[in-house]
Amino acid sequence: MKTRTVELLQRISASEYPIKAEVLAADFNVSQRTIRTEILEANEWLTSKELPEILTIRSKGFLLKMTSEEEKVLEAALLNLNGDLLNRNERTFDIVLSIAYEKNPVYLNRKEEEFQISKSTMDEDMRRLRADLLKYGIEIVSYGKQGLSYKGPERSIRTMIYDLINQNLGMIDFSRSKDSSVTPAQKVFNKYFNIQEIQKLAEIYSGEHPRQENDIYKNQILLFTLIWIQRVKKHELISAVSWKNAEFEDDVFSDFIDKIIKGYQLEDVPQVERNYIRFTIETFNTRDISNTLEWVQAQLLTIQLIQFVENETHIPFNSKEEMLCENLYKHIAALIVRIKNDIQVFNPLKDNIKANYHPIYRAVMQFIPTLEEVVGGKVIEDEIAFLVIHFSTVASAINRDLTYIYKSVVVCNHGIATGNLLAENLKEKFPQIKVVAVLSSKEVKLVDKLDVDLVFTTFNVAYQNKPVLVIDPILTDANIPIVGEFLKKNNEFQRLEPHGNESTELFANILTIIEESGGRVNRNIYSKLEAIFERNSLEINKREIQPMLKDILTDNHIMIKKNASTWQDAIELVAKPLVKDDIIEKQYVDAMVRAVEEFGPYIVIGKHLALAHARPEDGAKKLGLSVATIEHPINFGNPDMDPVKIIFCLAAVDSYSHLNLMKELIALINDESKLNQLINCTNMTQFKQLLFSEAEE
């Protein structure tokens, strides 16, 4: 049987529905007559294997009906057919790797013989492959005796190879032994990547990074490094580095790269190639507040994402906010770097995550356009699935401790007393129902003003905004299964209800005692206390522990209607009180100015609002905040947000203590009226009242 006939049989056997001849003809780029001829050939082969034939269903197309046992027999027979013939995806995968890594010239006619396919099939393979490579800006060209070659930026070629390996293999298991059973795609991969070299690479990495916890990130780092090694061996080199942040404060991977160069005998590796591989594998490394200048942007996005997902799913993530915020922030900080440099991580669990955590996945998906707008690039589904993992992990922890509830309202036309009785009966029979209010028939219009999800009523109401169940005013045995079915039908409206805040108050009191005794609550002390509370099943609401603007922003750190002639002057102006009070060192101010000069106006985070900051190790001694309104607005170089009329200066020493401050700044950015009032304010007392006031409901 020809390769195309095998692929045709595989295509039809994989479909649960009939496929028309014209559809198959278009897919295989042949005539309908050819399709019918090959169906006959496939049926002869199926009959020889004592398997059912492909049916021709009038006006619908071709269909192959088999039992599960027959499907297994077919799968095994196809695998053994003609020495494991490759399908189209596997053939093009082989071509991609052969052009990239084959020592001898690659010719299409020789590939035809190797694959046992016709010239027309090879032409169709190449047509599709060339179309796929265009999105990377890569062409396949032929140079006569030199064979096929890639035409395009070397960096794009490596990214393309990385993507296609992930697409064809799912994810490489670098711990797989040589004798393990492999798929055809893995056999293709093994032709060009020696299994011993793969294992040697894994050993070098484990020796340098024995505590690597994330196998997905680890395998992606190893895969990209493997691609790099092979391209450098072929002397296919990058000529220049175009990204700004090729220099790193942390030296996490330098020793790893040096051992790779020595272990694989890579001679005279240019510095640009060292920078490239170091930068590339750094993008897979989760980034803490101390090793990225984009930490404010990452934390703002993290806080906004958590608030959005919490509102959409009604899961109280705030009850475990510290764990979620820090892990999610580190991921987003690394994600920002990846997006800006066209490198994103493959996630083999994507489909399972999407199916099993769909409400969270859907909520994260709805927020992604906001993230993409801020970062300036597309986020792939694999990366979205990683974000969902952080939420679902915390949701599982919350789920162990909290109770599912349905926030509901009772509307009764028999009087409030009867309504109250129905509410109590509902709560008695269904503890998960939490009745927020009991309304009379005249008060139906108030339902939309209540934070409820379900409506129980004793009469037919003209209301459609929320699920409604009409039941008898006296809950009977006949009503109970009806209510149960109603709750089951609307289970997406379940909420998780947090317990009381006694544990939070106890935690806060302990922190206060430590500080009043002359101690300093650092990250280590905080984490140890948090661990003790968790071991004793005591929940903490982090929102109530971290300081608010009114707690941290003192009068001497507020400057109103001050003059500054340049953006550099504005930064120095707003930082001056923090330097004076020994909250930051002078070098922190210099670092803020230097970062804007190098990376642009990234500190302009809202319309007319800038948040000056640097990294903690640049000279931040303790948590602090200052603010200045500018008499004559200043352009920082951000056309969408300029001119800056109000500037804050933030000094942060860890990843958590300033989160409430960030949330209040986000609220301020979103409240244009309040922001304009602050900008125009000339009185200190009025300024504080405005800034510290709660946002209107």
Side-chain angles (χ1 to χ4, degrees):
M1 213 167 28
K2 295 190 294 292
T3 302
R4 184 171 60 221
T5 311
V6 173
E7 291 179 356
L8 181 63
L9 178 53
Q10 289 172 325
R11 171 74 189 283
I12 295 173
S13 66
S15 176
E16 296 179 6
Y17 306 98
I19 307 176
K20 291 186 175 182
E22 55 261 38
V23 173
L24 294 170
D27 287 349
F28 287 91
N29 197 32
V30 295
S31 68
Q32 293 184 41
R33 181 177 179 179
T34 300
I35 292 295
R36 291 190 177 92
T37 301
E38 295 194 3
I39 292 290
L40 292 174
E41 183 181 340
N43 278 339
E44 289 178 7
W45 182 83
L46 288 168
T47 301
S48 71
K49 301 295 180 184
E50 298 182 349
L51 291 170
E53 292 186 359
I54 297 170
L55 302 175
T56 302
I57 301 176
R58 190 180 181 85
S59 302
K60 291 186 178 180
F62 302 108
L63 179 65
L64 182 57
K65 291 184 177 181
M66 287 187 171
T67 65
S68 57
E69 286 302 317
E70 288 169 338
E71 287 176 353
K72 291 178 182 177
V73 173
L74 175 62
E75 183 179 356
L78 288 174
L79 280 175
N80 293 323
L81 186 64
N82 294 332
D84 292 340
L85 290 177
L86 301 179
N87 63 30
R88 172 163 282 135
N89 285 338
E90 292 156 358
R91 292 196 301 269
T92 53
F93 183 43
D94 184 288
I95 292 169
V96 164
L97 296 186
S98 65
I99 296 173
Y101 298 121
E102 184 63 69
K103 294 178 181 178
N104 300 316
V106 177
Y107 302 105
L108 287 181
N109 59 343
R110 293 180 184 175
K111 283 294 179 184
E112 288 172 19
E113 295 174 7
E114 179 186 338
F115 297 150
Q116 300 179 47
I117 59 175
S118 65
K119 184 178 184 304
S120 62
T121 300
M122 175 58 78
D123 289 343
E124 179 61 16
D125 285 355
M126 292 305 296
R127 184 188 70 78
R128 297 192 184 200
L129 178 57
R130 286 189 169 98
D132 288 341
L133 298 192
L134 281 179
K135 68 180 181 180
Y136 300 98
I138 299 169
E139 295 179 60
I140 296 177
V141 294
S142 177
Y143 291 114
K145 292 184 179 181
Q146 295 178 6
L148 300 178
S149 182
Y150 290 124
K151 181 180 179 182
E154 175 60 22
R155 187 178 172 209
S156 298
I157 293 169
R158 297 178 190 182
T159 300
M160 176 271 294
I161 295 169
Y162 165 79
D163 284 351
L164 292 186
I165 290 174
N166 273 320
Q167 289 172 25
N168 280 274
L169 300 188
M171 184 179 74
I172 298 177
D173 182 359
F174 282 89
S175 63
R176 179 173 54 80
S177 66
K178 183 178 180 181
D179 298 327
S180 299
S181 59
V182 294
T183 65
Q186 286 170 329
K187 289 181 180 179
V188 170
F189 178 82
N190 290 344
K191 283 171 60 178
Y192 305 99
F193 295 92
N194 183 278
I195 190 71
Q196 283 80 20
E197 291 198 350
I198 293 173
Q199 291 171 343
K200 181 169 74 173
L201 177 61
E203 288 170 5
I204 294 173
Y205 184 87
S206 296
E208 289 297 313
H209 302 276
R211 295 183 180 179
Q212 171 61 262
E213 297 177 359
N214 193 319
D215 283 339
I216 294 176
Y217 279 172
K218 171 186 173 181
N219 286 325
Q220 299 294 288
I221 288 173
L222 294 180
L223 175 57
F224 229 117
T225 306
L226 194 64
I227 292 168
W228 175 76
I229 291 169
Q230 300 292 71
R231 292 298 281 177
V232 170
K233 277 186 175 181
K234 281 199 71 178
H235 301 288
E236 299 287 355
L237 304 176
I238 288 175
S239 58
V241 177
S242 58
W243 52 87
K244 291 181 179 179
N245 45 346
E247 297 300 323
F248 301 96
E249 294 295 327
D250 291 343
D251 213 16
V252 178
F253 292 105
S254 287
D255 289 343
F256 171 64
I257 294 167
D258 287 341
K259 289 188 177 181
I260 292 296
I261 291 172
K262 183 178 179 181
Y264 287 85
Q265 299 178 341
L266 304 178
E267 298 178 358
D268 301 323
V269 178
Q271 187 60 43
V272 67
E273 283 289 356
R274 290 173 178 263
N275 288 347
Y276 164 81
I277 189 60
R278 185 180 176 193
F279 174 80
T280 301
I281 60 181
E282 270 280 355
T283 63
F284 297 112
N285 190 27
T286 52
R287 310 173 76 78
D288 203 347
I289 190 171
S290 63
N291 65 2
T292 174
L293 277 165
E294 289 148 326
W295 66 267
V296 162
Q297 186 182 65
Q299 287 198 335
L300 288 172
L301 285 169
T302 299
I303 292 167
Q304 289 174 297
L305 176 57
I306 292 173
Q307 290 175 344
F308 185 87
V309 174
E310 187 173 275
N311 289 336
E312 290 294 314
T313 62
H314 302 302
I315 299 173
F317 289 109
N318 62 84
S319 64
K320 290 190 179 291
E321 188 178 58
E322 170 65 13
M323 177 173 70
L324 175 60
C325 197
E326 183 156 346
N327 292 335
L328 195 59
Y329 150 70
K330 288 180 179 179
H331 186 93
I332 289 179
L335 174 60
I336 289 173
V337 177
R338 288 198 291 275
I339 292 173
K340 289 183 175 179
N341 292 278
D342 298 322
I343 302 169
Q344 296 193 51
V345 181
F346 174 79
N347 190 336
L349 304 176
K350 172 181 63 180
D351 292 335
N352 286 337
I353 292 166
K354 189 174 181 179
N356 293 313
Y357 301 100
H358 185 67
I360 296 175
Y361 187 93
R362 183 180 59 213
V364 174
M365 275 288 292
Q366 289 175 318
F367 183 81
I368 289 302
T370 300
L371 191 153
E372 290 175 336
E373 183 179 359
V374 172
V375 179
K378 297 295 291 182
V379 181
I380 64 174
E381 284 193 349
D382 300 75
E383 293 280 14
I384 294 170
F386 276 116
L387 298 175
V388 175
I389 287 175
H390 291 292
F391 281 100
S392 56
T393 300
V394 172
S396 296
I398 291 171
N399 199 18
R400 290 195 301 268
D401 304 326
L402 306 184
T403 305
Y404 279 108
I405 64 164
Y406 294 88
K407 294 192 78 171
S408 310
V409 61
V410 169
V411 183
C412 182
N413 63 343
H414 295 282
I416 294 299
T418 305
N420 285 329
L421 175 61
L422 176 58
E424 291 303 317
N425 285 337
L426 285 170
K427 289 188 287 184
E428 177 187 358
K429 300 297 182 183
F430 300 92
Q432 67 269 46
I433 294 178
K434 182 173 183 179
V435 178
V436 173
V438 177
L439 305 178
S440 69
S441 57
K442 297 179 180 179
E443 297 175 312
V444 175
K445 61 183 179 181
L446 297 178
V447 172
D448 283 335
K449 295 185 178 181
L450 299 174
D451 181 23
V452 296
D453 302 309
L454 304 180
V455 179
F456 294 93
T457 175
T458 58
F459 65 105
N460 289 314
V461 294
Y463 181 81
Q464 298 178 337
N465 294 345
K466 294 177 174 30
V468 176
L469 179 65
V470 181
I471 54 175
D472 296 332
I474 305 298
L475 197 63
T476 64
D477 289 342
N479 291 141
I480 290 174
I482 296 173
V483 174
E485 188 61 31
F486 177 69
L487 297 180
K488 184 178 179 181
K489 180 182 177 181
N490 295 286
N491 62 0
E492 72 268 23
F493 294 107
Q494 289 182 114
R495 304 192 191 191
L496 284 165
E497 185 178 46
H499 298 309
N501 65 348
E502 296 85 355
S503 301
T504 302
E505 292 178 2
L506 175 61
F507 194 93
N509 290 337
I510 293 173
L511 295 180
T512 301
I513 290 171
I514 293 172
E515 290 176 341
E516 288 178 350
S517 302
R520 179 182 174 186
V521 181
N522 56 30
R523 172 69 181 170
N524 187 42
I525 292 174
Y526 186 97
S527 297
K528 286 181 178 179
L529 277 173
E530 186 179 33
I532 291 171
F533 270 61
E534 287 190 359
R535 282 200 300 271
N536 289 277
S537 300
L538 298 173
E539 291 293 332
I540 310 164
N541 186 344
K542 311 301 187 305
R543 288 181 174 177
E544 298 182 16
I545 295 171
Q546 297 150 356
M548 309 289 285
L549 279 173
K550 62 184 178 182
D551 302 320
I552 204 78
L553 192 59
T554 56
D555 287 6
N556 59 328
H557 291 174
I558 300 173
M559 292 158 281
I560 298 175
K561 294 296 181 183
K562 297 296 181 179
N563 289 309
S565 55
T566 65
W567 62 261
Q568 293 93 333
D569 291 341
I571 291 176
E572 291 183 7
L573 167 70
V574 73
K576 196 171 184 179
L578 300 184
V579 175
K580 182 179 179 181
D581 289 347
D582 202 31
I583 293 172
I584 59 175
E585 298 175 357
K586 178 62 171 65
Q587 69 183 50
Y588 191 86
V589 185
D590 297 336
M592 290 190 290
V593 172
R594 189 167 58 249
V596 175
E597 288 174 344
E598 185 172 356
F599 298 102
Y602 69 97
I603 67 171
V604 183
I605 62 171
K607 192 74 172 178
H608 307 313
L609 186 149
L611 177 60
H613 60 277
R615 293 177 298 189
E617 68 268 28
D618 287 328
K621 292 186 172 181
K622 54 187 175 181
L623 178 63
L625 189 75
S626 58
V627 61
T629 57
I630 308 300
E631 179 71 36
H632 302 291
I634 297 172
N635 288 329
F636 273 64
N638 185 325
D640 296 325
M641 303 294 186
D642 278 339
V644 169
K645 301 178 181 180
I646 184 168
I647 180 170
F648 289 84
C649 181
L650 174 64
V653 291
D654 52 47
S655 298
Y656 73 96
S657 59
H658 59 281
L659 292 183
N660 267 340
L661 305 181
M662 301 282 271
K663 291 170 194 168
E664 290 188 88
L665 289 176
I666 289 172
L668 183 58
I669 293 169
N670 294 329
D671 191 341
E672 187 175 348
S673 174
K674 182 175 180 178
L675 184 61
N676 287 333
Q677 290 180 66
L678 286 169
I679 290 168
N680 295 322
C681 186
T682 58
N683 178 274
M684 172 74 75
T685 302
Q686 184 184 7
F687 185 91
K688 290 195 303 181
Q689 287 175 345
L690 278 169
L691 184 59
F692 301 152
S693 65
E694 294 291 330
E696 293 184 8
E697 294 295 328

